[in-house]
Structures are given as C-alpha cells and as structure tokens.
C-alpha cells in the first residue's frame, strides 16, 4: 500500500503554558504598550530584550514589530539611504531586498552556491574597487551558514559593514560563534514559522552603542529610551536624539510575554528540530538524482526546514515530483518558478531591484526544493516524509528525468 502523510506542514506547537499565563496577565491589566508600566513594574518587552542579549552574548538588544522591520532599522542605523547600494544574497526571501528598498537603497545580488550560501568568490569580486558597495546584508537563508571567517576577512579588508539576517539561524553557530555575532548588527524574526513564535516580531542586537541608540530611537522610543534594560548608556542617546527620526515599530508586551518562555528553552527546541532534520537527511541519503546540502563541520546548524536539490532536472520533471509528493501529503516548495508563489520568489521577481542575470544562482534556484519541519512532527513522521520523497524522486529519475 502506498504511504500517504497526513500531518500539517503549517501547524506549530502550542505556546508554552507559562507564556499563555503571562499573556493573560497582560491582557487583564491592559498595559500592552511597552512604555505603559505601573509604578515599580518592568515591562515584558524590556525584560525580553535583556534576556535575549544575554542569550546571544551581545551588549544590546531591541525588540520590534517584525524581522523585516529589524533589518530596515539596522540599515537606517548604519546610515544606508536613497541610492546607496547594498550587497545581499541572490537566494533569500522577499523581505530582505524589501528592507533595502524601504530605505531607498539598491540591492546588489551576489551569487549563491550549491551549499545554498553566498558565493564568497563573487562577493570578493563585488567589494573590490573604490566605488564598490560598503554594506552587506547577509541572509543566512533557510538556516545555511557560509564560511563566516572568510566572509569577515573579505568584508573587513574592503571596509564593508555586515548586517546579519538571522531569521533562520537563531541559536546556530559557526566555529563556535553564535550566528549574529560576526557583523555590526544582527536581526532575528519571531514570525510563526521561525525558532520562536509570536505571530510577528523581531529582535535586533549589536555591541555598538551608537548604532543601538539610533535603532532604539528609530523604533519609536521618544525620550523613554532609559527604560531599555538592554540599551546603551545615556550619553549614546545624547549624541543622536535630535537627529534621529521616530519610525515607530515597537514590540508590545503581549508578544514579549509569549516569547520569553520560548527563548528560555531555545537550546532544547534547536535539538528537537535538528533531530527531525537528520532523520529526513538519512532517509534521502544516496537517492539517485537528488543532491543533499553539504554541511561543514564548523557549522552547528538549527534546521526547522529541509532543502535538497534536483540539479539539472527539466523544470517539468521537478514540478511533477512536487505534485506527486503533494498527492501523498508532502508539501514541497520550489524556488525555481518564474512566477512568485506563496513565500517563494526569485531575485528576478523583485523588479524594483534591477539585476543582471546570475547563471550560477539560476541553476541552483531551479533545483531547490524546500519543506518545513515543525516540531508537531514526530521522528516517525519525518522518516515517512523521507521515504515518500525518495520514492517519488527515484521514480522520476529511473523514468528518465
């Protein structure tokens, strides 16, 4: 009998009971705004920032309304403005170039490798010369981390400031260093399908007091910045408070209350995601026609999703694998389609960001298939998913794909 998976790829775990209790307390007293506190009270948002800074080992942290807003705030804090070029991965999600465009910047796309990471040779070529872009918005897309040691050597030598988009790598490491701790600033997402779930939300970290002071005022602190437990000292604000616009995008106490207990068990959750990832990986190992993503020994990943490649397959054959798997309950997303679908789109879909063709990236995007691995899936579920994909890929390969 043909196996069919019946689980939901969009069903997340419930919010922890202590998060629900904290949220109910906020709802009952009504002080949802982060600066609306009773005498002697510290807001959940300020405590979340303090706890996240400690978790990431950063000096400062800021909680905001979304991951995309966190990225745009980092760009503004660094000084990116209209017409400025910003380097970024060609393989990413739309909010990354969207954040660049939102501040008037112009994305400059860098090729991607078969490891789904930024091509460091192409990056080195694009930062060479006096007129090269001076900012890199590095997206650790779908949890894949490049050689951060070499990347920082390239960017430091060229005087390029790095912002890390860690929406998919909260808790991951390169050579023992947490994702987000290499660049000048790092942005994280707490949207439902990320490693902590508040529906929407974002976090921003930095060790630079001037950058974080600007970010806090940009987020809408007014002159209440002293209430940020994870903010820089007052003198940092004195230098910029009259020069920095308020572009309100604060996180509220309700979402912060939901997030705090989730972050407290982040390591445990990361281990659970990786266990599921490894079961699917093992199930697909040595499948004819299918390429697994090589994970370097230096990369301690956190994978709440899974990607594989069908390199150099005809588009119709890739689409047939997607459909056959869907018929058996396994939802695969393809990044190679000419038209955006759901959350998948290509660099040439973002027509506000003109780019020359990137042949290496085009080949990879036509091959990338992606699926979520929510913690509501058991290890047995993941083994079945691997068997179904293996079966359908092998069938297509054997029939001449």
């Amino acid at each position: 009998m043909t196996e069919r998976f019946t689980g939901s790829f969009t069903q997340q775990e419930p919010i922890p009971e202590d998060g629900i209790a904290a949220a109910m307390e906020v709802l009952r007293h009504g002080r949802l705004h982060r600066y609306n506190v009773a005498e002697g009270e510290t807001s959940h948002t300020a405590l979340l920032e303090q706890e996240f800074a400690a978790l990431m080992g950063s000096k400062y942290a800021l909680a905001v309304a979304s991951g995309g807003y966190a990225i745009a705030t980092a760009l503004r804090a660094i000084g990116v403005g209209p017409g400025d070029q910003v380097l970024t991965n060609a393989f990413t999600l739309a909010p990354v170039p969207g954040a660049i465009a939102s501040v008037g910047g112009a994305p400059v796309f860098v090729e991607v490798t078969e490891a789904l990471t930024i091509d460091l040779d192409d990056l080195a070529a694009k930062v060479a010369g006096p007129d090269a872009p001076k900012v890199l918005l590095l997206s650790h897309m779908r949890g894949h981390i490049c050689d951060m040691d070499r990347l920082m050597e390239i960017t430091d030598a060229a005087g390029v400031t790095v912002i890390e988009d860690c929406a998919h790598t909260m808790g991951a490491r390169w050579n023992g260093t947490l994702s987000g701790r290499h660049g000048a600033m790092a942005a994280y997402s707490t949207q439902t399908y990320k490693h902590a779930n508040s529906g929407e939300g974002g976090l921003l970290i930095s060790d630079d007091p001037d950058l974080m002071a600007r970010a806090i005022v940009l987020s809408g602190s007014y002159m209440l910045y002293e209430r940020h437990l994870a903010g820089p000292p007052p003198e940092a604000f004195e230098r910029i408070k009259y020069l920095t616009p308020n572009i309100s995008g604060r996180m509220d106490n309700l979402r912060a209350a939901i997030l705090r207990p989730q972050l407290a068990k982040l390591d445990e959750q990361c281990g659970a995601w990786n266990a599921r990832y490894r079961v699917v990986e093992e199930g697909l190992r040595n499948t004819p026609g299918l390429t697994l993503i090589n994970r370097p020994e230096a990369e301690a990943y956190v994978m709440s999703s899974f990607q594989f490649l069908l390199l150099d397959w005809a588009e119709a054959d890739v689409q047939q694998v997607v459909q056959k798997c869907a018929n058996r309950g396994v939802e695969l997303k393809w990044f190679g389609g000419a038209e955006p679908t759901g959350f998948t789109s290509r660099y040439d879909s973002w027509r506000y960001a003109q780019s020359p063709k990137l042949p290496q990236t085009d080949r990879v995007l036509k091959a990338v298939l992606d699926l979520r691995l929510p913690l509501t899936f058991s290890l047995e579920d993941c083994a079945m998913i691997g068997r179904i994909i293996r079966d359908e890929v092998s069938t297509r390969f054997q029939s001449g794909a």
Side-chain angles (χ1 to χ4, degrees):
M1 182 177 177
T2 302
E3 286 185 300
R4 189 178 192 284
F5 184 64
T6 58
S8 170
F9 284 81
T10 58
Q11 180 58 57
Q12 304 304 298
E13 283 193 309
I15 299 300
E17 287 299 322
D18 46 354
I20 294 172
M24 291 303 295
E25 181 184 7
V26 171
L27 291 173
R28 289 190 180 100
H29 65 53
R31 295 186 293 279
L32 275 70
H33 193 280
R34 67 164 297 158
Y35 302 121
N36 179 205
V37 293
E39 186 176 354
E41 180 182 34
T42 303
S43 75
H44 277 287
T45 311
L47 290 169
L48 172 70
E49 290 166 345
Q50 186 179 57
E51 291 158 2
F52 191 69
L55 187 64
M56 294 294 107
S58 63
K59 289 183 179 179
Y60 313 117
L62 172 67
V64 294
S66 73
Y69 182 90
I71 295 171
T73 300
L75 290 166
R76 287 189 175 99
I78 282 169
V80 175
D84 291 340
Q85 292 188 323
V86 178
L87 295 153
T88 196
N89 313 43
F91 176 47
T92 188
L93 294 179
V96 174
I100 298 170
S102 77
V103 302
V108 176
F109 295 111
V110 183
E111 293 264 27
V112 65
T113 70
E114 290 179 22
L116 303 186
T117 58
I118 193 168
D119 186 316
L120 296 178
D121 291 332
D122 190 39
L123 175 65
K126 284 175 174 165
V127 300
D131 297 324
K134 292 302 179 184
V135 177
L136 167 64
L137 174 52
L138 174 66
S139 177
H140 300 302
M141 175 62 171
R142 304 313 268 169
H144 299 273
I145 303 176
C146 72
D147 182 339
M148 291 301 298
D149 299 321
R150 185 180 171 212
L151 181 137
M152 293 308 299
E153 287 175 4
I154 292 168
T155 55
D156 286 348
V160 172
T161 301
V162 177
I163 299 169
E164 293 182 69
D165 164 30
C166 302
H168 302 154
T169 55
M170 185 187 291
R173 288 173 168 80
W174 179 265
N175 260 343
T177 298
L178 277 163
S179 178
R181 300 299 291 129
H182 290 86
M185 304 192 88
Y188 303 78
S189 172
T190 60
Q191 186 256 17
T192 286
Y193 302 117
K194 305 304 189 295
H195 296 151
N197 173 17
S198 60
E200 289 288 354
L203 292 153
L204 185 62
I205 64 169
S206 181
D207 286 348
D208 187 305
D210 296 318
L211 292 179
M212 188 53 75
R214 284 197 286 273
I216 288 170
V217 175
L218 283 162
S219 76
S221 70
Y222 298 91
M223 296 299 115
L224 301 172
Y225 45 75
E226 77 283 354
R227 299 189 189 179
H228 285 250
L229 301 180
E235 55 268 25
F237 294 94
E238 288 299 321
R239 292 191 287 268
I240 56 88
K241 67 181 183 181
Y242 299 119
L243 304 172
T244 305
N246 178 325
I247 306 173
S248 294
R250 298 169 295 269
M251 183 179 285
D252 56 81
N253 285 327
L254 184 59
R255 283 183 284 181
I258 291 169
L259 286 170
R260 291 177 62 203
Q262 294 180 61
L263 293 179
K265 61 173 187 174
L266 180 63
D267 285 347
E268 174 188 338
Q269 300 289 86
C270 290
W273 273 305
N274 287 346
R276 284 151 179 78
Y277 178 89
R278 285 190 286 268
V279 168
V280 177
E281 182 181 51
E282 193 56 37
L284 294 180
R285 197 174 301 283
N286 300 320
T287 300
L290 182 150
T291 300
L292 292 173
I293 308 303
N294 178 50
R295 310 311 293 255
E297 187 176 338
E299 181 191 22
Y301 54 74
V302 177
M303 294 302 295
S304 57
S305 63
F306 193 95
Q307 296 75 44
F308 61 90
L309 305 177
L310 300 180
L311 282 167
D312 302 321
W313 282 43
E315 290 188 16
D317 292 324
V318 176
Q319 291 173 315
Q320 188 159 13
V321 167
V322 172
Q323 186 58 56
K324 292 280 191 179
C325 287
N327 293 343
R328 296 176 65 178
V330 174
E331 297 179 14
L332 299 176
K333 305 299 182 184
W334 180 44
F335 278 89
E339 287 298 316
T341 303
F343 67 84
T344 61
S345 53
R346 306 188 314 206
Y347 71 94
D348 56 358
S349 303
W350 308 317
R351 294 176 189 175
Y352 56 83
Q354 296 300 311
S355 175
K357 294 297 288 180
L358 300 170
Q360 178 177 297
T361 297
D362 291 340
R363 176 174 177 259
V364 171
L365 291 179
K366 287 178 181 178
V368 177
L369 290 171
D370 171 275
L371 67 149
R372 292 191 180 113
L373 292 177
L375 294 181
T376 47
F377 289 179
S378 67
L379 298 182
E380 291 75 16
D381 290 336
C382 293
M384 181 188 292
I385 289 167
R387 290 194 298 271
I388 290 170
I389 296 171
R390 183 184 186 92
D391 185 26
E392 295 303 335
V393 170
S394 297
T395 299
R396 290 301 306 156
F397 187 73
Q398 291 162 5
S399 64

